[in-house]
Amino acid sequence: MEVSCLELALEGERLCKVGDYRAGVSFFEAAIQVGTEDLQVLSAIYSQLGNAYFHLHDYTKALEFHRHDLTLTRTIGDFLGEAKASGNLGNTLKVLGRFDEAVVCCQRHLDIARDINDKVGQARALYNFGNVYHAKGKSICWSGAEPGDFPEEVMMALRKAAEYYEANLVIVKELGDRAAQGRTYGNLGNTHYLLGNFRKAVASHEQRLLIAKEFGDRSAERRAYCNLGNAYIFLGEFEVAAEHYKRTLQLARQLKDRAVEAQACYSLGNTYTLLQDYERAIDYHLKHLIIAQDLNDRIGEGRACWSLGNAYTALGNHDQAMHFAEKHLEICKETGDRSGELTARMNVSDLQMVLGLSYSTNSSTLSENKDVDYNMHGKNCIIRHPKPFALSEVTGAHSVYRHSPDMIGDEGFFDLLSRFQSNRMDDQRCSIQDRGSRLSLNSGPASPPRAIRKSVSEAAKILGAQGRRLDESSVAGGSLPGLRLNQNSNQAVLSHLMANADSAEPDDDFFDMLVKCQGSRLDDQRCAPPPPPARGPTVPDEDFFSLIMRSQAKRMDEQRVTLPSATNSTSRPNSN
């Protein structure tokens, strides 16, 4: 018996709900091949297929199907569907770094939600808005400045993000949605952190922590503890920061997330270095190093070696410091870390002078033994070589160890939009199973649709296999795959369009603004997402810790012994 489009779509929906997005895509694509005359079902397929491709990190395909969904929902006058399609399109554009276009889509989402008095939709649109401005600010803020001292363009974007998150909180509190409040508090805290409002960041993350405990969400609880530790670092309250990082470590172990366990150890090692408790710092950095090796994280291993070299130098144990400085240099060369390599060379040079050595690092006897295990205090710490691996395996978007990084950023973007959408499929689309609300060409809409602004001939092309809503530069352009029209339904479509063709919509600027945002970037909608930063899975956001090191520059100078050399060791750059 022939399988219907709806049956295939329902199976695709089921697979996506259990997290098997690749199989879900196969069923949705098969459903499109079979085709349907039911426009509401087709809209739901487009939406879910776009979401599935989003989860698979195929943002080009996600963009394509969310465009189709937007075109179709506008054509049939589905306000709610258009709002959700605009939101999904905005999220995808955000991941691609196309923030101006994302803003237009978010505004459309918000406008429609307000027009139909959809409070849940308004809250979601405001949250999306905050995420877009947050991501925009983060994308350009790593310029060596400290939080609160970024360029005005960054600060303006972050202030807008905070405003939208605050507006979202007003509505979700009114709705009594504690889960949504928790997500927003987490993002708001991270935004205040970047703005340099560390006390406000603490207040927001404490609320996030409280709500996470209410729901028994240990992953969210762990993130809140880590973010609180980060804020307390910049408040100079290192002991308090250490306590929060310890809770992060405990939760990471409970969750059996070794990458995050290593990140917490790294954070604690740096915190105890700031406290000048070098023995404890060494203990935590060794724990980080062991996990980094187990996970084949060469970048993380290099950061651990750099940190251990500094701590041993501060203790006056120059033999061990030399060993880790040499290993840091070796790893920087291997991973192409030019800044780290420069730092490592300077450290090795300084230590050679202290030890009165003149041999090259390649002939150092400290580098000959490769397979001795560590003990807890770093005596006889000889590093074993991990197996080689491709850098993309660690830093790519598909890395299994990047699911819960403690980066300074959206809890919704970490929530990256994966969390944002993963458990809320029904909120992102028209339900395929909601047959009572489906709109069919044969049955006609339940209520009169909005006016279609294009001419009859152009509007008819929208529903044709080769039709286009706009030209290729438009975000909403494209044909509608999977739409089947027989002669009778073709006539119904044309009648429907002719009845509304002369009515102009007041929102023409929506698509015009999208076209202007794209400008001459005709092929950008097919571009790959921006490459992820080169960092290992066991290392928290490297930029974050480089900021800590700069903000505590004087304190860090105190951890180093004065080397009997003309070399200006206090001016060497940090690789961390």
Side-chain angles (χ1 to χ4, degrees):
M1 185 176 68
E2 184 179 351
V3 180
S4 70
C5 174
L6 180 60
E7 289 172 323
L8 290 167
L10 288 172
E11 180 61 14
E13 179 182 41
R14 185 190 68 79
L15 289 165
C16 286
K17 282 185 175 180
V18 298
D20 192 350
Y21 298 106
R22 198 167 297 282
V25 163
S26 297
F27 275 91
F28 284 131
E29 294 279 13
I32 286 177
Q33 289 298 316
V34 172
T36 180
E37 296 177 14
D38 192 317
L39 303 184
Q40 203 77 35
V41 167
L42 189 59
S43 172
I45 292 173
Y46 287 158
S47 183
Q48 291 202 64
L49 192 49
N51 288 336
Y53 274 120
F54 187 100
H55 284 289
L56 294 172
H57 309 286
D58 189 340
Y59 302 113
T60 300
K61 295 291 282 185
L63 198 66
E64 175 186 344
F65 283 100
H66 287 316
R67 285 202 326 266
H68 291 327
D69 189 27
L70 181 62
T71 299
L72 184 54
T73 53
R74 285 175 62 82
T75 300
I76 63 179
D78 179 359
F79 276 97
L80 188 59
E82 182 181 345
K84 292 175 180 178
S86 298
N88 286 333
L89 195 58
N91 287 337
T92 308
L93 289 164
K94 178 185 72 174
V95 175
L96 291 169
R98 293 162 59 174
F99 302 114
D100 291 341
E101 294 162 78
V103 163
V104 174
C105 292
C106 289
Q107 187 63 58
R108 182 61 181 162
H109 187 185
L110 181 59
D111 288 344
I112 295 175
R114 285 173 172 167
D115 287 345
I116 63 178
N117 197 29
D118 175 11
K119 289 290 186 180
V120 173
Q122 290 177 50
R124 191 165 301 126
L126 291 166
Y127 183 78
N128 288 353
F129 246 134
N131 285 349
V132 169
Y133 280 111
H134 192 175
K136 181 178 181 179
K138 286 201 320 175
S139 71
I140 53 179
C141 72
W142 300 128
S143 57
E146 297 175 13
D149 193 31
F150 296 121
E152 182 57 28
E153 180 185 6
V154 174
M155 299 297 283
M156 184 179 299
L158 294 173
R159 283 192 288 266
K160 284 185 177 180
E163 289 173 6
Y164 282 113
Y165 287 139
E166 293 282 7
N168 167 272
L169 275 174
V170 171
I171 297 178
V172 294
K173 285 179 179 179
E174 177 185 332
L175 295 171
D177 189 342
R178 291 289 283 170
Q181 291 173 44
R183 285 189 294 270
T184 304
Y185 273 124
N187 285 5
L188 182 60
N190 287 327
T191 303
H192 279 308
Y193 172 89
L194 290 174
L195 286 168
N197 304 328
F198 302 117
R199 288 295 175 194
K200 289 184 178 180
V202 166
S204 294
H205 286 308
E206 285 178 342
Q207 287 296 314
R208 202 318 167 228
L209 178 61
L210 178 66
I211 295 172
K213 289 180 176 179
E214 287 178 15
F215 283 87
D217 186 345
R218 289 189 297 172
S219 293
E221 187 180 344
R222 179 199 59 74
R223 291 193 300 273
Y225 274 119
C226 182
N227 287 327
L228 282 165
N230 295 347
Y232 278 116
I233 284 288
F234 273 89
L235 288 170
E237 300 180 31
F238 303 135
E239 291 284 4
V240 179
E243 291 306 310
H244 284 89
Y245 288 140
K246 286 176 183 176
R247 286 293 295 137
T248 303
L249 178 58
Q250 291 171 359
L251 287 163
R253 287 171 173 166
Q254 291 175 19
L255 294 165
K256 302 186 185 304
D257 190 332
R258 296 208 76 207
V260 175
E261 179 184 347
Q263 292 177 22
C265 289
Y266 185 79
S267 300
L268 281 163
N270 279 296
T271 303
Y272 281 114
T273 295
L274 293 172
L275 286 165
Q276 300 184 28
D277 187 344
Y278 303 114
E279 292 286 355
R280 282 193 184 183
I282 287 170
D283 185 31
Y284 282 113
H285 282 308
L286 285 173
K287 288 182 170 72
H288 170 216
L289 180 57
I290 291 170
I291 298 176
Q293 287 188 319
D294 288 345
L295 299 183
N296 286 338
D297 177 13
R298 198 67 164 152
I299 294 175
E301 187 180 347
R303 295 298 178 267
C305 289
W306 180 84
S307 300
L308 285 162
N310 285 341
Y312 278 117
T313 298
L315 287 175
N317 187 340
H318 299 114
D319 286 343
Q320 291 289 2
M322 173 64 84
H323 165 70
F324 286 111
E326 287 184 319
K327 290 306 299 181
H328 181 214
L329 177 58
E330 174 189 325
I331 293 168
C332 288
K333 288 179 179 178
E334 177 185 320
T335 59
D337 181 357
R338 300 296 297 172
S339 176
E341 183 180 346
L342 175 61
T343 299
R345 287 187 183 280
M346 296 177 72
N347 286 340
V348 168
S349 176
D350 288 348
L351 287 165
Q352 283 179 339
M353 293 180 184
V354 171
L355 293 169
L357 302 176
S358 60
Y359 52 75
S360 70
T361 59
N362 289 333
S363 64
S364 170
T365 58
L366 292 172
S367 298
E368 290 177 358
N369 298 317
K370 303 292 185 184
D371 299 304
V372 181
D373 290 333
Y374 305 101
N375 64 25
M376 290 300 292
H377 295 91
K379 307 300 183 184
N380 301 318
C381 299
I382 306 300
I383 301 177
R384 63 187 186 277
H385 283 289
K387 296 178 181 179
F389 67 100
L391 183 59
S392 61
E393 293 174 5
V394 178
T395 62
H398 300 277
S399 170
V400 296
Y401 303 118
R402 286 178 58 89
H403 286 183
S404 54
D406 288 304
M407 301 186 71
I408 309 167
D410 304 341
E411 188 176 330
F413 205 100
F414 287 106
D415 287 1
L416 168 73
L417 295 184
S418 296
R419 287 195 196 104
F420 183 85
Q421 295 187 19
S422 61
N423 295 320
R424 302 168 61 185
M425 296 295 290
D426 290 338
D427 293 334
Q428 299 288 333
R429 55 175 173 75
C430 303
S431 174
I432 292 175
Q433 294 175 321
D434 186 10
R435 299 186 62 87
S437 65
R438 293 213 319 273
L439 176 66
S440 171
L441 286 174
N442 294 329
S443 61
S447 59
R450 287 179 299 154
I452 307 299
R453 61 175 178 163
K454 300 182 75 71
S455 68
V456 173
S457 61
E458 288 178 329
K461 288 180 182 178
I462 293 174
L463 299 178
Q466 304 299 321
R468 295 227 175 242
R469 186 67 169 80
L470 293 175
D471 62 24
E472 285 190 345
S473 68
S474 171
V475 170
S479 60
L480 297 178
L483 180 63
R484 290 193 314 189
L485 294 176
N486 56 36
Q487 186 173 359
N488 292 334
S489 59
N490 265 325
Q491 199 62 41
V493 171
L494 290 175
S495 298
H496 165 72
L497 294 174
M498 289 176 67
N500 296 282
D502 295 332
S503 301
E505 283 192 323
D507 59 356
D508 287 2
D509 288 344
F510 175 45
F511 282 96
D512 294 338
M513 288 174 67
L514 286 176
V515 174
K516 289 178 182 177
C517 285
Q518 290 185 333
S520 60
R521 305 184 314 168
L522 299 181
D523 295 326
D524 275 5
Q525 62 192 16
R526 300 178 179 82
C527 69
R535 76 172 190 90
T538 68
V539 184
D541 186 357
E542 296 174 32
D543 298 299
F544 166 56
F545 277 101
S546 68
L547 294 173
I548 289 179
M549 299 308 175
R550 278 190 287 274
S551 70
Q552 301 294 336
K554 293 182 180 179
R555 178 68 69 91
M556 292 303 295
D557 286 342
E558 295 172 5
Q559 78 180 10
R560 297 174 182 265
V561 296
T562 302
L563 300 175
S565 166
T567 303
N568 185 2
S569 63
T570 61
S571 64
R572 72 169 64 93
N574 292 316
S575 68
N576 223 35

